[in-house]
Structures are given as structure tokens and as C-alpha cells.
Amino acid sequence: MTTPNQTVKSPASMGARALWYLECWGLKRIDAWGVSYIAGALALVVHHALSLQTFILLIAITANYWLGYWLNDYFDAAHDGQDERKARQNLFVQRPAVRRWVWLVSGLTFGLSAASFISFGWQGVMVLLLNFAVMWAYSAPPLRLKNKPGLDLLSHAFFVQTWPYIICMWLTRTNWMQLDGILLAIFFFTSLNGQLNQQVRDFDVDARTDMNFTTWAGLEKSILILKVSAWVVVLFGVVVVISASVPWLFVPLGLLGLPKIVYQMSHRAGNSNRTFPREIVYATMLLALLYMGVLMTLKSIV
């Protein structure tokens, strides 16, 4: 029985709160850590290197990427707090008390993932240390690479989607093939596009609070570069599919990424602050992760 001063939370409000926490703690970044998981998994599938040890490595890599984006929100809190939409999606703006957990969460993620990386010897230790060095240098002062025009795009392009693939290739000591170069090229440009797209979307806010490639180069020029880069991805994808340079089983993964590419192509100076519907992001990423699971269960891809 409740007193007059007590309130009863309805199931709807409790459900909305649970969804908000789920989004802030991970679901919001599913198109980041989820793609990192898929990139690493593709390397293992292509080279028939999937085992219990490498699957645990894949989980550790994904956990590192989740932490990287979580720390990015932590270091961006002061900037995100100046924009209603970004503040609403930043856990550290909405719940400042969570900031005291940063070292605990970072330490737990480091400790739990270390066991997997160490199982691959000194190369695994080097990768683990580099992972944390890059995620810190990208978001945290004094380096904060995300505020260095040019370096912001390159660091994102080299380390967000391409790096998980390279990690799995290096630690499993597999031989490189033409297909690896094709997939890495696609990951490089889609990762670059993803960062540039975010900068274009947040241009109005970043122009007041931050520095990056788009605020330095200008909105119209950045939109043009984004569109050209998106067309490069599409045309390159069409060429490699027609030439049978990639397994046909990989084509559905590319098709699931088309809505985001079409959205990038539709940017104009007057509508650059639009946001891509989160429902489509969740749906396409969940389908891609499920389909990746199917590919991982198949005995032979290439």
C-alpha cells in the first residue's frame, strides 16, 4: 500500500526507462560495435579460423569497441550538454553520477578482455594496449584526435571497421588474399563516411562547441565529399559483385547497409541536421548480426 506522497510507476514508464538505459549503455551504438563485430567475424569466416578461442577474441574486440564509444560519451558530455538531442542520448549528461564508474567499467573491460588477447601471446598484448591507447587518444584530452581536422576522419577510418578485421587476421596468422583487400577497402570508406555523416549532421552544434573536419572545411564541401565517398562505396560494391570477387553470401550484408548510404547521399545544406531513424538502424543491425551468425555456422564460404 502506498502513502499519498508515494507514486507508483506504471509498466509503460518502467519500460521506457529500461529502454532508455539499454540505449545509453549499448543499443545506441549498435551500428558501431555491431559493425566491428561483423568485420572481425568476416575475417574469421573467410579464413576458416573460427574456433572457441577466436570467438572469445571476437567478443573481447567487440567489448573494447563498446567501451571506446562509452568513453567517447564520457569525454563528450560537456559538449553534448549544450544540445537538447545529444544531451538526451548521453548517459553522462542525464546521469552525472555514472561518471564515478568510468575507471571501474574501464578496468573490468580491460581485465576481462585481457585474458583473451593474452592467449595469443605478445601480439595479443600489443593489440590490447594499442586498443586502449587509440580509444583514449581519440576522445580524451590533450590529444583528442576527434578535434583534429583530417586526423579525425583518418583515425575513424583506420580503427573503427578495418582494425577488427586486421586484428583477427594478424592474431590468427592467416595469409592475405585479394578478398581481404576488397573487404578492407569497403570497411575503410564506410567507416570514413560514417564519421563524416555524423559531423555533417551535428554541424550546427559542433560549429559552436567543437572543432573537426567539417567545421574546418565547411558544410557544403563536407557534404560533397560525403556524397562522392558514398558513391565510391556503391560503385565499388557493384563492380566486385558483378566480377564475382566476393562470395554471393556476403551480398545481403551490403544490401542491409544501403539505407544508410542512400541517406548519406541525400544530405543538403538545408537539411543536414536530420537524424537517420533509429528504428531502421536497430532493425538493419539486428538482421545483419543474425545473418552473420548464419554465415559463422556454415562450413565453407570461399
Side-chain angles (χ1 to χ4, degrees):
M1 184 174 181
T2 60
T3 65
N5 292 327
Q6 292 176 310
T7 58
V8 179
K9 295 178 181 178
S10 68
S13 64
M14 292 176 64
R17 179 177 293 241
L19 179 60
W20 181 83
Y21 273 108
L22 182 61
E23 286 190 318
C24 285
W25 280 90
L27 193 60
K28 182 183 71 170
R29 298 296 191 181
I30 193 173
D31 52 338
W33 59 258
V35 174
S36 301
Y37 174 90
I38 290 173
L42 278 175
L44 299 177
V45 167
V46 166
H47 294 278
H48 310 288
L50 190 61
S51 64
L52 179 59
Q53 183 190 26
T54 56
F55 180 72
I56 295 175
L57 171 68
L58 186 59
I59 299 301
I61 292 171
T62 306
N64 280 195
Y65 273 90
W66 171 85
L67 177 63
Y69 282 95
W70 194 73
L71 287 174
N72 184 69
D73 281 352
Y74 170 77
F75 289 111
D76 280 358
H79 302 285
D80 290 350
Q82 301 182 47
D83 178 71
E84 182 180 354
R85 178 184 60 81
K86 297 178 77 172
R88 194 167 53 246
Q89 296 179 350
N90 190 309
L91 178 66
F92 298 98
V93 175
Q94 297 295 321
R95 299 289 186 272
V98 177
R99 298 180 186 185
R100 70 185 67 165
W101 296 1
V102 167
W103 288 107
L104 175 62
V105 172
S106 299
L108 283 174
T109 305
F110 183 90
L112 292 174
S113 60
S116 175
F117 285 101
I118 290 173
S119 71
F120 289 90
W122 68 267
Q123 295 97 329
V125 175
M126 292 292 292
V127 168
L128 177 64
L129 295 177
L130 184 58
N131 286 350
F132 280 89
V134 170
M135 71 174 69
W136 201 268
Y138 181 77
S139 300
L143 290 180
R144 200 163 162 81
L145 296 178
K146 65 181 299 180
N147 288 156
K148 305 294 189 295
L151 289 178
D152 54 351
L153 298 184
L154 288 177
S155 57
H156 200 277
F158 277 115
F159 286 102
V160 171
Q161 295 181 23
T162 56
W163 183 235
Y165 196 99
I166 294 172
I167 291 175
C168 291
M169 288 288 295
W170 189 37
L171 296 186
T172 57
R173 298 177 175 86
T174 52
N175 295 322
W176 288 83
M177 305 187 303
Q178 180 185 33
L179 178 58
D180 298 313
I182 291 172
L183 293 176
L184 282 174
I186 293 173
F187 287 138
F188 179 90
F189 280 103
T190 55
S191 184
L192 184 147
N193 292 354
Q195 177 64 2
L196 190 54
N197 176 75
Q198 180 177 315
Q199 292 183 4
V200 167
R201 181 199 66 196
D202 297 339
F203 177 80
D204 291 341
V205 178
D206 292 342
R208 301 194 310 267
T209 65
D210 233 333
M211 168 67 77
N212 55 42
F213 177 84
T214 300
T215 60
W216 171 78
L219 183 58
E220 292 188 2
K221 186 180 296 184
S222 297
I223 290 176
L224 176 61
I225 295 172
L226 175 61
K227 290 183 176 181
V228 170
S229 186
W231 273 110
V232 168
V233 172
V234 171
L235 295 177
F236 183 68
V238 170
V239 170
V240 297
V241 169
I242 292 177
S243 63
S245 298
V246 296
W248 66 269
L249 285 172
F250 289 178
V251 174
L253 289 174
L255 293 177
L256 286 171
L258 270 182
K260 194 67 175 285
I261 294 177
V262 171
Y263 165 77
Q264 293 170 356
M265 292 176 175
S266 66
H267 273 307
R268 297 190 305 276
N271 68 355
S272 62
N273 61 350
R274 299 170 307 149
T275 58
F276 190 68
R278 298 304 297 171
E279 295 81 4
I280 298 179
V281 172
Y282 297 153
T284 54
M285 281 308 307
L286 288 173
L287 286 173
L289 289 169
L290 288 172
Y291 187 72
M292 193 67 242
V294 172
L295 294 182
M296 293 170 73
T297 61
L298 297 178
K299 297 295 183 183
S300 179
I301 299 294
V302 294

